Amino acid sequence: MKIGIYGGSFNPVHLGHVGIAKRAIADLALDKLIVIPANVSPFKVSGAEARTHEIWERVEMVKAAFRDLEKTVVDLREIERGGTSYAIDTVRQIAAENPG
């Protein structure tokens, strides 16, 4: 299975994000694209992203934006993990869950 990982703050999520996802699925012939909103981006540590109510509002917007895009799944592992989100930690987890 060919899996893509698309992470970011998605703050706010917009049509450009969805367009990139569509293009990645098509151009890379992905079977699945995992969309992963960051809890707190290491590049945006101002603290605004860490407000709980704002995080969950952003999650709902991300889910709505990708709802109708086939082959995508919104994964909340970085939100649930809390703290600053580092892509390498997530990539290692997903690789361990999907050997080969």
Side-chain angles (χ1 to χ4, degrees), residues 8-9 36-52 55-56 58 76-87 89-90:
S9 60
I36 306 175
N39 186 54
V40 176
S41 167
F43 305 109
K44 298 179 181 178
V45 291
S46 65
E49 293 81 8
R51 293 187 196 128
T52 302
I55 289 171
W56 292 107
R58 184 166 45 95
L76 302 181
R77 72 180 68 223
E78 290 187 0
I79 302 286
E80 292 165 352
R81 187 167 51 224
T84 304
S85 299
Y86 294 100
D89 297 330
T90 303

Side-chain angles (χ1 to χ4, degrees), residues 1-3 13 17-18 23-24 30-31 33 35-36 38 40 44 47 50 52 56 59 66 69-71 83 86 93:
M1 175 177 272
K2 196 168 184 183
I3 300 172
V13 66
H17 293 120
V18 177
R23 195 68 191 258
L30 298 177
D31 297 304
L33 180 65
V35 178
I36 306 175
V40 176
K44 298 179 181 178
T52 302
W56 292 107
V59 164
F66 290 97
L69 187 55
E70 289 184 41
K71 299 184 180 183
Y86 294 100
Q93 274 188 325

